[in-house]
Amino acid sequence: MSTEVKYEPVIGLEVHAQLLTKSKIFSTSSAAFGGEPNTKADPVCLGLPGVLPVLNKQVVVFAMRMGLATNCSVAPISIFARKNYFYPDLPKGYQISQFEEPICEHGHIDVELESGRKRIGITRIHLEEDAGKSVHAESFVASDETLVDVNRCGVPLIEIVSEPDIRTPHEAYLYLTQIKQIVQYLGICDGNMEEGSLRCDANVSVRPVGRERFGVKTELKNMNSFRGVEKALEYEIERQTRLIEGGGEVVQQTLLWDADRGEAIAMRGKEDSHDYRYFTDPDLVPVKISSTWLDEVRESLPELPTARKGRFVSEYSLPAYDAEVLTDDRHVADYFEQLAEVCGDPKAASNWVMVEVLRQVKESGGGIRDFEVSPAALGKLIKLVQKGDINLKTGKAVFAEMATTGADAGDIIAQKGLAQISDAGELAGQVREVLQQNPGEVAKFKAGKEQVIGFLVGQVMRATGGKANPKLVNEILREELAR
Amino acid sequence: MGERALERARDIDGRVQQGKAGSLAGVVMATKDILAMKDQPLTCGSHILNNYKSPFDATLIERLEAEDAIIIGKTNMDEFAMGSSTENSHFGAVKNPLDTSRVPGGSSGGSAVAVAADMALAAIGTDTGGSIRQPAAFCGVVGLKPTYGRVSRYGLVAYASSFDQAGPITRTVEDAALVLETIAGVDPHDSTSAPIDVPRFSSEVNQDVQGLRIGLPKEYFAEGLAPDMRSSLKQAIELLDRAGAKIMEVSLPHTEYAIATYYVLVTAEASSNLARYDGARYGFRSENPASLDEMYIQSRTQGFGEEVKRRIMLGTYVLSAGYYDAYYRKAQKVRTLIRRDFDEVFKTCDCLLTPTAPTTAFKLGDKLDNPLTMYLADIYTVSVNLAGLPAISVPCGKDSSGLPVGLQLIGKPFDESMVIRIGDFVEKQIADQQNAPA
């Protein structure tokens, strides 16, 4: 062989996002996640004889937001269709979805690669209802039984289908995390892959570099984390490439990713031979979106992550790295902006959020919205540090205490006597004491060894229980040594 | 059900004495067993809904009861409203009270019989392809199918959702108008119900027909219509003519495709609407299924009757990949053409007059072996459902065997007023004529 054939993957993602509406897409029961099994149901989502679906308008607004945020054209008229199949967790025997005429089409998002910006097309975004949950293979389920939980039946979903523009697992990861960021910024989905409020299926094939025609694709399902998607794709691309290199052929099939074993297993049954017999749902009228309505939704769109990142650099003069970290999560960015305003020092606010706040939030196990320390409370603490009332080290300790107890910074400082000693007279006494106790170091200093000053400052700090103003200690030390 | 009715009757008595009773106070009614009533069985004539009780009331039941009607019972029907003779019920065939060897028509046969046999003053039926009008015609009573969207479908168990419409079967046109004005009107639970004002239909009675333009679609008077039925209709047409109505021949050129189009589309919708009866959650489930697929297959095989299974299979077929375009999509296009036929004739007519059915009540068992001849029993009624129009069947004399002949009046969308007005006129004129000394 003169040249080795190189293969490239072709990847398209289908992302399902559960929308954060109060009620279900076609009925009144709660759409909230979880709850005791079979407690969030009503005759409509159970598909009892005689019921009819009525579209929840908020669902349409959420889909419009997503369409606008991803540069789609929003259809003035879209149609609901029935996808017919039998499954115990699908009470009507069909899922109401959109097929030939989805609500949004022809969009794109851009992801940042090391080699530059890459555009990934979005084929369509459509509305549909979620199915219930079938539970088997759990300790409380007999081996010959399946239990059904209908709480999820009728929870609104949007499905975002990408073009097959993605070429590496890393690009897929970037695309997916950006989709998550956008839905979170729009407030339409909480973007939690582990809980399943964001779900991703991937279509993947490989082909020799330079060939236009796509190879035979497989569909990957059951990836429950962002990194899981990346790993599953890496696995499957390698499997397909090796198969082809070994003279084999890829079989079109659906594979389930097993994160524990790190491999994808072919699904049993003939999932791909399903004929869903889509047709227009006669119980629902076409969704009509006027240009006035679309304009209203457009005007109400929040600032999106990419724009916000740019503004953090220009408005707050933050390094690009800071802007990236701070805007990753909309609520972190909100927290930062409030903090920057209270404390008046954006860079200090950025440092505090990126290091202390995010660490404490992570340790608390919750989100930043549930975080004990408000931006106002932290702002007050930062100001105390800047004024010199306490030093930075003490400030961090106080912050840790605030995070666990929720107490006010001033109270903690007063209660524990942590206020920084900035009284020159008091500090001069401490300094003189330290100099008397360390004649050797004093001699070294006088002999030109300036570095020993660090040791002497440390001694004063220790003597004051860390409360001394280090800058002032330094000044007084130099004055005393110069005598 | 009886207790619920008696209790309501006592309440209503009290309200009558206080002068606070609703407009249908004390009117004893029946409803086809395809409409949901809270805590009552809802069988749709099917074994598969064995022991099923509905947890809610259909909107139209709520509206009737809000006006103090008393619903004393539910009536038998062709299973899931699929049939034209009320022989396809899990609970047995319904017989025509005028001649018990004959069918009452269907699928709302039980409702038509309840009214014809004086068991109820009015009954609710549903009409997907003629299921209110044809049994009304066979039993010699009045049947009114409203415009699609006029009456809420919430609580009406779906057969073919874009066709189904509930309406009254009554002894007189005026009664039908009174019931319709009670049950009509937009309903937030039904997206396809129309936000259009409901006129007082009952004020249309005892009006003249002077100057009204009545079209006779020539395709509805072609061969196939028995001569004695033709002459009954001719008599009514002459009465209208003499009263100053303008009678004109018109054409609905796509009529010949109506039956085929209808059966493609309704079976497609039915195949999906009836998927929920799978034995998983309620109703009949086969004993000890070996697997999930077996549970579906056995429950549905044993739970549904032959006609229902036939239509589910037809509908599944026409929606299948590779056949969808040739059948379903094409039928949708023909449906549009049929609608346009009506739009066109209504530019020159106020109303159309046709026979309701090609024959009078036929013998029990006559058409059971041949579904196609049964399907043709709906030949004059299905186009109305394809186009979503209002239509009424009123009695129009007897055939040579003394069986009632039905006359159908078809109106423009949401113009039930017109068919009520002309229907009332025909009903009263024919009664006068029959009562006149020979």
Side-chain angles (χ1 to χ4, degrees):
Chain A
M1 288 260 181
S2 54
T3 52
E4 202 176 318
V5 184
K6 290 208 122 202
Y7 290 90
E8 68 166 0
V10 174
I11 301 164
L13 298 184
E14 292 169 9
V15 178
H16 286 89
Q18 277 186 346
L19 301 180
L20 287 169
T21 53
K22 286 198 183 72
S23 55
K24 291 183 172 175
I25 181 167
F26 298 119
S27 65
T28 52
S29 55
S30 166
F33 174 79
E36 277 291 297
N38 300 313
T39 54
K40 291 170 181 168
D42 57 74
V44 176
C45 73
L46 287 172
L48 295 184
V51 299
L52 294 170
V54 177
L55 179 61
N56 178 344
K57 195 175 164 191
Q58 189 65 45
V59 168
V60 180
V61 173
F62 281 6
M64 286 158 81
R65 281 191 202 163
M66 190 61 186
L68 290 167
T70 54
N71 310 292
C72 287
S73 59
V74 178
I77 289 180
S78 65
I79 306 278
F80 282 104
R82 292 184 183 178
K83 178 179 181 178
N84 295 284
Y85 66 96
F86 286 97
Y87 210 65
D89 61 21
L90 189 72
K92 298 187 296 297
Y94 58 85
Q95 178 192 27
I96 305 177
S97 181
Q98 295 188 310
F99 188 55
E100 286 180 345
E101 294 172 70
I103 187 163
C104 305
E105 281 184 292
H106 313 305
H108 64 262
I109 59 172
D110 294 329
V111 295
E112 299 290 340
L113 303 176
E114 272 172 26
S115 54
R117 180 168 296 183
K118 166 152 182 177
R119 177 154 294 184
I120 295 169
I122 289 174
T123 315
R124 55 187 274 149
I125 299 174
H126 66 251
L127 289 167
E128 61 187 27
E129 59 179 346
D130 210 343
K133 253 185 182 159
S134 292
V135 185
H136 19 237
E138 295 279 353
S139 56
F140 52 90
V141 186
S143 62
D144 61 343
E145 280 184 341
T146 294
L147 302 185
V148 173
D149 177 6
V150 297
N151 285 356
R152 212 176 63 180
C153 287
V155 168
L157 295 176
I158 48 173
E159 180 173 340
I160 306 147
V161 181
S162 87
E163 289 286 313
D165 289 346
I166 300 168
R167 290 292 170 270
T168 67
H170 183 60
E171 285 176 27
Y173 174 82
L174 291 176
Y175 168 86
L176 191 57
T177 47
Q178 195 173 136
I179 291 288
K180 178 203 73 168
Q181 245 183 28
I182 294 171
V183 295
Q184 285 180 336
Y185 266 70
L186 295 173
I188 64 174
C189 168
D190 64 18
N192 188 329
M193 278 196 81
E194 288 75 16
E195 282 185 1
S197 64
L198 197 73
R199 306 197 279 269
C200 177
D201 299 335
N203 288 300
V204 57
S205 61
V206 300
R207 63 180 174 191
V209 173
R211 185 195 284 175
E212 191 132 344
R213 187 162 49 81
F214 293 151
V216 176
K217 68 177 180 185
T218 56
E219 187 177 9
L220 283 166
K221 285 178 181 283
N222 198 40
M223 297 163 291
N224 301 324
S225 70
F226 295 92
R227 288 291 174 203
V229 172
E230 199 173 5
K231 283 198 185 118
L233 283 168
E234 280 164 5
Y235 169 92
E236 178 58 9
I237 290 162
E238 202 192 315
R239 187 189 70 89
Q240 289 188 13
T241 309
R242 256 191 289 152
L243 194 62
I244 295 170
E245 282 173 347
E249 276 179 12
V250 175
V251 179
Q252 185 168 345
Q253 60 185 341
T254 301
L255 302 163
L256 295 182
W257 176 244
D258 183 331
D260 295 333
R261 293 165 63 182
E263 56 186 50
I265 298 142
M267 222 164 118
R268 279 182 300 152
K270 291 174 184 165
E271 192 59 22
D272 297 322
S273 64
H274 251 139
D275 178 0
Y276 292 117
R277 307 189 312 278
Y278 282 99
F279 73 105
T280 299
D281 190 330
D283 288 333
L284 287 158
V285 292
V287 183
K288 289 184 182 158
I289 297 172
S290 67
S291 56
T292 328
W293 191 17
L294 188 60
D295 287 344
E296 274 170 33
V297 173
R298 188 181 283 118
E299 276 156 31
S300 74
L301 280 187
E303 188 180 27
L304 291 168
T306 310
R308 201 169 197 185
K309 207 186 317 174
R311 182 168 63 79
F312 276 19
V313 172
S314 59
E315 186 180 327
Y316 299 116
S317 308
L318 293 179
Y321 173 78
D322 289 32
E324 174 94 36
V325 174
L326 293 172
T327 56
D328 180 52
D329 179 320
R330 174 190 177 178
H331 304 293
V332 171
D334 289 346
Y335 190 99
F336 160 77
E337 290 215 79
Q338 288 167 38
L339 182 62
E341 195 182 333
V342 177
C343 80
D345 182 345
K347 182 55 191 161
S350 169
N351 291 344
W352 273 89
V353 172
M354 289 200 303
V355 184
E356 303 304 322
V357 175
L358 289 181
R359 181 170 62 216
Q360 290 290 346
V361 167
K362 197 176 170 195
E363 277 172 17
S364 74
I368 194 161
R369 277 175 295 174
D370 309 318
F371 186 49
E372 196 65 56
V373 184
S374 70
L378 176 55
K380 200 171 146 191
L381 176 67
I382 296 174
K383 276 185 167 167
L384 292 174
V385 174
Q386 284 171 336
K387 268 198 315 189
D389 287 0
I390 51 170
N391 61 43
L392 187 59
K393 201 172 158 226
T394 309
K396 288 178 179 179
V398 171
F399 175 70
E401 174 131 5
M402 290 165 76
T404 45
T405 64
D408 176 73
D411 291 347
I412 297 171
I413 292 163
Q415 209 179 355
K416 302 205 163 178
L418 296 174
Q420 182 162 268
I421 304 165
S422 297
D423 182 302
E426 191 182 340
L427 286 179
Q430 293 282 356
V431 166
R432 279 192 287 272
E433 220 167 285
V434 166
L435 293 182
Q436 275 166 19
Q437 287 159 4
N438 295 284
E441 266 64 28
V442 173
K444 280 185 195 164
F445 181 85
K446 295 203 165 159
K449 261 196 122 179
E450 292 241 347
Q451 305 93 299
V452 295
I453 194 131
F455 170 78
L456 294 169
V457 170
Q459 292 302 307
V460 178
M461 294 303 290
R462 219 168 80 180
T464 59
K467 292 187 288 182
N469 179 334
K471 205 173 144 208
L472 203 52
V473 171
N474 202 304
E475 281 168 18
I476 296 168
L477 260 172
R478 286 179 188 278
E479 276 169 29
E480 290 293 324
L481 288 165
R483 282 176 191 224
Chain B
M1 190 116 197
E3 273 171 38
R4 171 167 157 162
L6 283 173
E7 199 177 304
R8 282 185 53 78
R10 276 189 287 272
D11 281 358
I12 294 163
D13 264 350
R15 279 204 287 285
V16 169
Q17 274 155 21
Q18 293 163 10
K20 287 181 186 166
S23 63
L24 297 179
V27 174
V28 168
M29 292 186 66
T31 177
K32 188 176 184 177
D33 196 15
I34 197 169
L35 285 150
M37 287 179 72
K38 192 168 163 44
D39 301 328
Q40 300 298 327
L42 176 59
T43 69
C44 299
S46 182
H47 183 45
I48 210 154
L49 279 171
N50 192 24
N51 296 327
Y52 177 74
K53 284 184 180 177
S54 177
F56 64 94
D57 277 326
T59 298
L60 79 85
I61 297 290
E62 274 180 1
R63 288 181 180 178
L64 287 171
E65 292 195 337
E67 289 299 332
D68 289 337
I70 301 170
I71 298 160
I72 58 161
K74 295 186 127 186
T75 59
N76 202 356
M77 55 185 282
D78 282 304
E79 186 177 2
F80 286 105
M82 298 179 186
S84 308
S85 66
T86 318
E87 293 168 291
N88 298 333
S89 168
H90 175 66
F91 304 101
V94 175
K95 294 171 185 174
N96 192 319
L98 305 174
D99 175 349
T100 53
S101 71
R102 293 178 185 274
V103 303
S107 64
S108 310
S111 288
V113 169
V115 173
D118 252 341
M119 292 186 270
L121 215 55
I124 299 297
T126 61
D127 191 317
T128 305
S131 284
I132 287 175
R133 291 160 286 159
Q134 186 252 21
F138 279 19
C139 293
V141 292
V142 174
L144 172 56
K145 177 222 153 324
T147 311
Y148 183 80
R150 180 63 103 179
V151 177
S152 168
R153 291 187 296 117
Y154 190 74
L156 191 180
V157 179
Y159 158 22
S161 313
S162 74
F163 293 77
D164 299 340
Q165 192 57 197
I169 295 177
T170 53
R171 301 191 70 78
T172 67
V173 173
E174 184 172 6
D175 285 352
L178 284 165
V179 173
L180 180 62
E181 65 196 22
T182 305
I183 61 177
V186 68
D187 174 14
H189 290 112
D190 177 0
S191 318
T192 63
S193 68
I196 291 179
D197 285 344
V198 178
R200 270 200 64 220
F201 296 119
S202 53
S203 68
E204 294 294 332
V205 302
N206 301 323
Q207 303 287 317
D208 68 36
V209 294
Q210 176 78 38
L212 296 181
R213 300 165 301 170
I214 299 174
L216 308 178
K218 63 179 185 194
E219 293 80 4
Y220 286 62
F221 291 90
E223 73 270 33
L225 181 63
D228 50 349
M229 292 183 71
R230 189 185 295 267
S231 71
S232 287
L233 292 167
K234 206 172 158 205
Q235 210 181 1
I237 294 163
E238 277 163 10
L239 285 170
L240 286 163
D241 187 33
R242 261 181 268 142
K246 287 187 189 143
I247 309 296
M248 51 211 284
E249 190 185 86
V250 295
S251 173
L252 297 166
H254 294 93
T255 300
E256 62 173 309
Y257 305 111
I259 287 278
T261 305
Y262 173 81
Y263 277 96
V264 168
L265 296 178
V266 295
T267 57
E269 291 185 19
S271 71
S272 173
N273 283 330
L274 272 62
R276 69 193 64 196
Y277 311 110
D278 58 5
R281 290 161 302 275
Y282 50 79
F284 173 76
R285 182 192 289 186
S286 70
E287 299 276 324
N288 304 318
S291 67
L292 179 63
D293 282 348
E294 274 302 302
M295 181 183 87
Y296 290 149
I297 293 167
Q298 291 308 326
S299 300
R300 289 168 68 80
T301 301
Q302 296 161 25
F304 287 132
E306 291 309 305
E307 184 58 28
V308 172
K309 282 184 272 194
R310 181 179 296 119
R311 294 194 195 190
I312 289 172
M313 285 187 278
L314 273 172
T316 303
Y317 178 78
V318 300
L319 286 175
S320 296
Y323 300 100
Y324 181 93
D325 287 341
Y327 293 100
Y328 186 78
R329 202 186 292 278
K330 180 157 283 178
Q332 287 288 20
K333 288 179 182 166
V334 180
R335 186 178 194 177
T336 303
L337 295 177
I338 288 170
R339 274 205 191 108
R340 282 191 197 147
D341 280 358
F342 282 104
D343 290 347
E344 203 52 42
V345 296
F346 281 129
K347 286 179 184 163
T348 55
C349 303
D350 300 305
C351 183
L352 302 176
L353 186 155
T354 77
T356 304
T359 66
T360 52
F362 46 86
K363 293 274 188 187
L364 285 158
D366 246 16
K367 302 192 183 208
L368 271 183
D369 296 337
N370 189 340
L372 276 183
T373 60
M374 188 73 94
Y375 294 176
L376 289 173
D378 299 330
I379 193 160
Y380 299 137
T381 46
V382 294
S383 295
V384 165
N385 301 77
L386 282 161
L389 301 172
I392 196 167
S393 176
V394 295
C396 175
K398 305 273 164 68
D399 72 355
S400 50
S401 330
L403 293 165
V405 173
L407 175 152
Q408 175 174 239
L409 296 160
I410 304 169
K412 297 174 187 174
F414 298 100
D415 196 9
E416 287 85 355
S417 297
M418 183 60 69
V419 300
I420 287 167
R421 182 174 176 176
I422 301 173
D424 173 71
F425 180 87
V426 169
E427 173 186 75
K428 284 173 179 156
Q429 287 291 311
I430 286 181
D432 285 354
Q433 209 173 45
Q434 280 168 350
N435 293 337

